[in-house]
Amino acid sequence: MDWEGVRLHVVSGKGGTGKTTLAAALALALAAEGRRTLLIEVEGRQGIAELFGIAALPYEERRVASVSPAQLGLSGPRTSGDVFALAIDTEQALLEYLDMFYKLGRAGKALQKVGFVDFATTIAPGVRDVLLTGKACEAARRKGPDGRRVYDAVVMDAPPTGRLTRFLNVNSEVAGLARFGPIHSQAQAVMGVLKSPETAVHLVTLLEEMPVQETVDGFTELREAGLPAGGVLVNMVRPPVLDAAAVAAAHGDHREEVAQALVEAGLGGRSRSAATRRAAVEPLLDPLLAQAREHSERVALEREQRAELAALDLPGYELPLLSGGVDLGGLYRLAGELKRQGAA
Amino acid sequence: MTGAPEVLDLDRLIDDRQTRIVVCCGSGGVGKTTTAAAIGLRAAERGRRTVVLTIDPARRLAQSMGLTELDNTPRPVKGADTADGPGELHAMMLDMKRTFDEVVLAHADPERARAILDNPFYQSLSAGFAGTQEYMAMEKLGQLRATGEWDLIVVDTPPSRSALDFLDAPGRLGSFLDGKIIRILTTPAKVGGRSAMKFLNVGMGLLTGTLGKIFGAQLLTDLQTFVAAMDSMFGGFRERAESTYQLLKAEGTAFLVVAAPEQDALREAAYFVDRLAADEMPLAGLVLNRVHGTGAPQLTAERAQAAAQALEENGTDREPRQAEAETLAAGLLRLHAERVEVIGRERRTRDRFVAVYPDVPVVEVPALAGDVHDLDGLRLIGRQLAASAE
C-alpha cells in the first residue's frame, strides 16, 4: 500500500476525466478489510448519489456502501468495511461553524435573514473554501469516545485542477481578507493538516494531451504551494488491442497478404472462384487498414502521454475503460484495480 | 424508433449577414474551444470579419491562433486564408481581472476607482467570485459588439460547474450588489437603526459587532469601504448586465450546444437546451464532437469477431509470412469489432437525445486520433462541421 499514514485523500483532475468516479472507487478500496472511510463531495452536484444509485444526499454523513475483499476480487479475511458519504452544503456548513464558535442565537437568525451567508461566500470565496476543506480536515482527525479515529480515511472529491490550488491554498486566500480573528485561525489550522504527511493530493487524467498537460501543470502548482503531491490516476485506459500488429499494418505494405487472410477467414463468401472471393473482401481492406493507422497513431500518442506522466516520478495507477459507462459493478471493479495496484 | 435528426447547416448560419454572435456552450472536455475556433476560421475564410473570444484555451490551441498571453485585445490570426476575400480572423483570450478593472474605471472617477481597485475585497471578488469569469466573458462580448467593428463574434463560454452560469452570473452579481446586506452595510448606523434594520428587529450594532467578531474588525472596515465605493457603480453594473442579457436574446445571436456522444456530456447538453428554451435564447443546434465512424459498416462486430477467431485457431503448419499476415488480419478484425461496438453505443446515446429533442438540428464531427493544434486542423474541423448539410 503506497499511502500508509495518509488520512485525507484529495482527488482532483480536469473536467470529464472521471474524478468523482475514481474518488468513490478509492473510498471503496480504502474501506476493504474492515475499515471505514468517508467520501466527501463539495460542489453540490450530487455526483456520489448518482454513482451509487441512491437518493440525493443530505448534509449528513451516512453509509452508502459496504465492501468486502471478495467484492473487490481479493482473497483474504471476510470482514467487510463501510463507506460513508457526505455532500457538504456551504450554507449549512457556515451556520454550523458559526454556531459552534459563537452561539449566535438571535444574531445568527438575523444574519441568515439578510443573506449574510450568500454574501460571505460570494464576496470572499476563500471563506467558503476554508469551510469545505475545514470540514474534510475535521472528519479526518475526528476521534470517537474510545479515542480512536472515527474514519480510517477521508476521500474528498475536490474541484477540478484549474481551481484546485486556489481551493486548497485557503491560507493565502483568506490571509488578505481576514488578517486576524477566528476565520484566520481556522484557515491556518486547515493549512496545517493539508500540508502534513497525512494528506495526499491525487490527480485523475486520461491518456490525452490536454488532461496530461493539466496534470503536469497541476502537480507543479501543488509543489509550489507546498501541498503534498499524491498519485497519478490514469482513467479510461483502453486495452492494448494488437498494438504491434497495428503499427506494422500501418507502416508496411501488407495489403495483399491481409486480403488473402480475410478470404481464408471466410469473409470472401462461399464462391468457388478465388477471384470472386478476393474481390468480395476488397471493400473491407482500405477501411480496416485506415482504422489500424488511426489506432497506431493513438497508441503512439498514448505512449508519449505515458512518458510525460512517468517523468513526474509519482506513483501511477491505470484504470480500464468500462465500455457502456460506470455502474455499481464497474465501480467495485475500479476499486479492486486500485487495491491491486497498491493505491489502497 | 428515432429517425435521423435534423441536420444543422453551419454555412448558412455563418454566411447569414444577420448572424452577428455565435455562442458555443457545453460542459468541459467536449472540444468547445476547438469548435469555436474552427467556426471562426471558417467564417473568416468565407468572407466575414470575425473575432473569436476564448476563455481558457489549451496552450497549443491558443498558439495555433498566435495567442501567447492574456492580453484582452483581439489580435489578427496569421495564416488564415482571407487574402482573396473581405474576411478577417482575429482572436483574443479573456483577461478576467483586467476586464473587471476596465468596468470599474469606466464607471467611477479616478480617485474612487483607485480605492476600489486597491481594496482586498475587490481583489478577491475580481479573481475568485464564482461567476466573475462568466460575467466578464459576457461583459467583453458586449464591448466587442458595441464597437460595431465585427461582422461576427464567436464566443467560447467558460467551463462552468453548472453549465449556464454565464446566463445567471450578471444577474447574480447584480442582485448580490443590490442585496439587503450591502444596503445595511452602506446605510449609516443612525439611519439604519430606524429604517432598514427595524423590520429585522436587530440593532445595527449587534449585526456589525457579530461580523466583526467573526472576521475581525479590520476586515469589516475594508468591507464597508469597498461597499461604499462600489455603491456609486451599482446602477451602471445592473444596466450593463441587463443589456448583455438582452443582446444574447436578440436576433442575430445563435447558440450552439457542444457535446460528445457520451451519456454525461449529452445529459449536460439536454440541460443546456432546456435552459436556453426557458430563457428564450435562440438555439441553432447541437454540435456532436468526436463521433466514431467506419468505412466498412457492412461488416458487423459479430462477423468480424468470428472471422478473427477462425484465423487465430488456424494451425501452425503454414509459412511464417502467411501466419504473420493472418495474425495481423485477426488484429484488424478485432479492432474493427471494437470500433463497431463503439459506434453502436454512440448512436444509441445520440438517439436518446434526439428522441427527446427532435427539433434540435445536429451536426456530427468525426473523432480524430490526436488534438488539434494548427490552422489546418481547425480548417478540417470547419469543413466537417459544414459537410453534413450537403
Side-chain angles (χ1 to χ4, degrees):
Chain A
M1 148 75 163
D2 301 334
W3 307 105
E4 218 62 71
V6 171
R7 296 268 174 184
L8 177 59
H9 296 263
V10 179
V11 179
S12 175
K14 183 174 158 47
T17 55
K19 69 184 175 61
T20 304
T21 305
L22 292 196
L26 184 60
L28 278 173
L30 288 163
E33 292 161 357
R35 290 169 198 272
R36 178 196 284 237
T37 60
L38 177 67
L39 176 60
I40 295 183
E41 170 171 62
V42 297
E43 293 199 289
R45 282 189 303 132
Q46 290 291 342
I48 296 176
E50 202 176 295
L51 260 179
F52 285 94
I54 52 176
L57 291 165
Y59 180 48
E60 176 187 295
E61 291 160 36
R62 52 168 62 176
R63 201 170 69 97
V64 292
S66 72
V67 55
S68 67
Q71 276 176 307
L72 301 188
L74 306 164
S75 56
R78 297 195 64 82
T79 10
S80 60
D82 292 309
V83 177
F84 285 70
L86 172 68
I88 302 184
D89 176 282
T90 315
E91 179 151 341
Q92 294 208 31
L94 181 57
L95 290 172
E96 178 192 282
Y97 171 83
L98 294 178
D99 210 49
M100 188 157 58
F101 285 90
Y102 305 102
K103 306 267 175 280
L104 287 179
R106 221 155 58 95
K109 285 225 173 57
L111 288 175
Q112 214 177 339
K113 238 181 183 167
V114 295
F116 166 72
V117 175
D118 229 19
F119 173 77
T121 53
T122 301
I123 190 130
V127 170
R128 181 193 53 216
D129 295 347
V130 169
L131 290 168
L132 298 175
T133 48
K135 185 76 195 170
C137 291
E138 180 271 322
R141 307 205 125 181
R142 192 187 310 155
K143 289 186 176 150
D146 56 358
R148 295 177 46 187
R149 305 261 190 157
V150 173
Y151 294 107
D152 296 291
V154 172
V155 179
M156 177 163 61
D157 176 14
T161 345
R163 289 188 286 125
L164 182 67
T165 311
R166 179 178 273 274
F167 174 73
L168 294 177
N169 216 354
V170 285
N171 209 1
S172 64
E173 270 305 291
V174 169
L177 297 177
R179 270 158 272 175
F180 317 97
I183 290 271
H184 178 79
S185 355
Q186 164 85 350
Q188 292 216 305
V190 167
M191 243 18 245
V193 178
L194 289 179
K195 289 190 172 177
S196 79
E198 287 203 341
T199 299
V201 184
H202 312 293
L203 298 184
V204 180
T205 185
L206 308 178
L207 286 177
E208 290 168 17
E209 218 172 291
M210 271 157 51
V212 166
Q213 191 55 51
E214 211 170 283
T215 302
V216 172
D217 294 347
F219 277 119
T220 310
E221 266 186 45
L222 287 171
R223 286 198 172 117
E224 279 165 3
L227 291 159
V232 185
L233 305 172
V234 185
N235 199 12
M236 303 185 208
V237 176
R238 296 188 236 199
V241 190
L242 95 159
D243 294 356
V247 174
H251 296 293
D253 183 15
H254 297 268
R255 204 167 189 284
E256 197 45 45
E257 290 149 50
V258 170
Q260 290 306 331
L262 293 179
V263 170
E264 172 80 15
L267 292 173
R270 290 162 196 267
S271 167
R272 287 185 182 196
S273 147
T276 308
R277 293 199 305 270
R278 171 64 185 80
V281 299
E282 183 59 31
L284 297 177
L285 276 175
D286 285 335
L288 289 182
L289 289 169
Q291 281 166 200
R293 264 192 306 279
E294 279 170 35
H295 179 78
S296 76
E297 257 175 65
R298 207 191 72 213
V299 169
L301 269 175
E302 289 185 354
R303 194 175 309 121
E304 281 172 34
Q305 303 312 320
R306 275 206 179 83
E308 290 251 351
L309 293 174
L312 287 168
D313 201 20
L314 293 167
Y317 313 92
E318 293 208 353
L319 291 310
L321 172 72
L322 303 177
S323 53
V326 180
D327 54 9
L328 206 52
L331 198 56
Y332 278 92
R333 199 179 140 204
L334 294 175
E337 278 299 327
L338 285 171
K339 185 88 187 145
R340 251 189 305 284
Q341 295 178 34
Chain B
M1 277 311 291
T2 346
E6 204 184 315
V7 172
L8 171 69
D9 190 342
L10 182 77
D11 281 347
R12 211 176 71 192
L13 180 70
I14 59 178
D15 288 349
D16 185 351
R17 305 265 142 209
Q18 305 295 316
T19 310
R20 304 297 300 274
I21 295 174
V22 172
V23 185
C24 297
C25 48
S27 53
V30 294
K32 199 168 33 183
T33 310
T34 308
T35 302
I39 291 174
L41 177 63
R42 188 166 180 87
E45 294 186 343
R46 291 174 71 87
R48 303 200 70 193
R49 198 173 141 73
T50 308
V51 60
V52 176
L53 168 58
T54 71
I55 309 300
D56 187 16
R59 199 178 305 161
R60 290 176 69 180
L61 178 65
Q63 283 167 357
S64 75
M65 293 191 289
L67 298 171
T68 45
E69 55 185 330
L70 295 171
D71 69 354
N72 233 17
T73 316
R75 303 279 174 201
V77 176
K78 288 198 192 76
D81 185 12
T82 51
D84 303 333
E88 277 176 47
L89 180 62
H90 296 247
M92 65 164 285
M93 263 193 278
L94 178 75
D95 181 335
M96 154 173 101
K97 179 152 186 353
R98 194 192 297 193
T99 306
F100 209 148
D101 291 356
E102 285 165 8
V103 174
V104 170
L105 288 166
H107 283 275
D109 57 76
E111 195 186 333
R112 206 181 272 268
R114 186 50 37 213
I116 295 174
L117 297 182
D118 288 343
N119 188 284
F121 274 98
Y122 172 75
Q123 285 159 9
S124 167
L125 184 69
S126 61
F129 171 51
T132 303
Q133 200 179 35
E134 288 78 5
Y135 179 58
M136 289 307 138
M138 292 303 110
E139 167 65 31
K140 198 74 207 176
L141 171 64
Q143 288 177 12
L144 289 172
R145 183 70 178 82
T147 62
E149 262 182 70
W150 309 100
D151 294 342
L152 183 67
I153 306 167
V154 184
V155 202
D156 163 32
T157 54
S160 289
R161 171 175 24 166
S162 60
L164 282 177
D165 267 1
F166 70 93
L167 286 181
D168 299 325
R172 191 137 41 89
L173 192 67
S175 69
F176 160 69
L177 293 172
D178 249 356
K180 265 187 213 153
I181 188 131
I182 293 255
R183 273 188 285 137
I184 291 166
L185 287 168
T186 46
T187 311
K190 55 183 166 51
V191 182
R194 269 186 281 120
S195 58
M197 299 309 294
K198 206 153 193 183
F199 71 101
L200 288 169
N201 206 16
V202 217
M204 182 67 192
L206 174 59
L207 193 67
T208 45
T210 310
L211 290 174
K213 207 155 64 166
I214 297 168
F215 289 111
Q218 171 63 46
L219 183 134
L220 201 63
T221 314
D222 282 345
L223 182 56
Q224 276 170 324
T225 323
F226 170 65
V227 167
M230 291 287 274
D231 192 31
S232 61
M233 299 176 39
F234 291 169
F237 264 66
R238 248 194 327 277
E239 230 168 77
R240 288 173 92 100
E242 181 56 27
S243 70
T244 310
Y245 186 80
Q246 290 307 329
L247 185 62
L248 291 175
K249 284 175 88 150
E251 218 165 302
T253 300
F255 281 84
L256 285 175
V257 175
V258 186
E262 289 149 16
Q263 241 174 26
D264 292 351
L266 276 170
R267 194 184 304 124
E268 284 285 291
Y271 170 77
F272 272 77
V273 171
D274 290 342
R275 180 64 212 278
L276 289 171
D279 280 43
E280 293 171 10
M281 298 281 173
L283 173 67
L286 174 77
V287 174
L288 211 48
N289 276 332
R290 298 182 198 148
V291 178
H292 289 87
T294 176
Q298 70 274 29
L299 182 57
T300 64
E302 294 76 15
R303 263 185 86 211
Q305 291 284 20
Q309 198 174 351
L311 286 174
E312 283 159 359
E313 282 167 2
N314 265 344
T316 47
D317 57 332
R318 18 192 24 91
E319 293 174 48
R321 203 169 157 80
Q322 190 187 351
E324 199 184 301
E326 286 179 4
T327 311
L328 173 56
L332 295 181
L333 289 165
R334 296 247 183 246
L335 200 56
H336 178 75
E338 190 191 51
R339 171 68 63 94
V340 172
E341 275 158 14
V342 168
I343 293 169
R345 215 158 41 231
E346 290 181 351
R347 196 159 294 164
R348 285 190 293 281
T349 313
R350 183 201 71 182
D351 287 350
R352 276 199 293 274
F353 178 90
V354 172
V356 184
Y357 303 96
D359 301 333
V360 176
V362 178
V363 58
E364 298 188 359
V365 180
L368 299 174
D371 287 338
V372 172
H373 16 65
D374 53 27
L375 290 188
D376 286 340
L378 290 178
R379 205 170 278 129
L380 174 67
I381 302 242
R383 266 203 302 278
Q384 289 165 337
L385 277 165
S388 4
E390 282 164 7

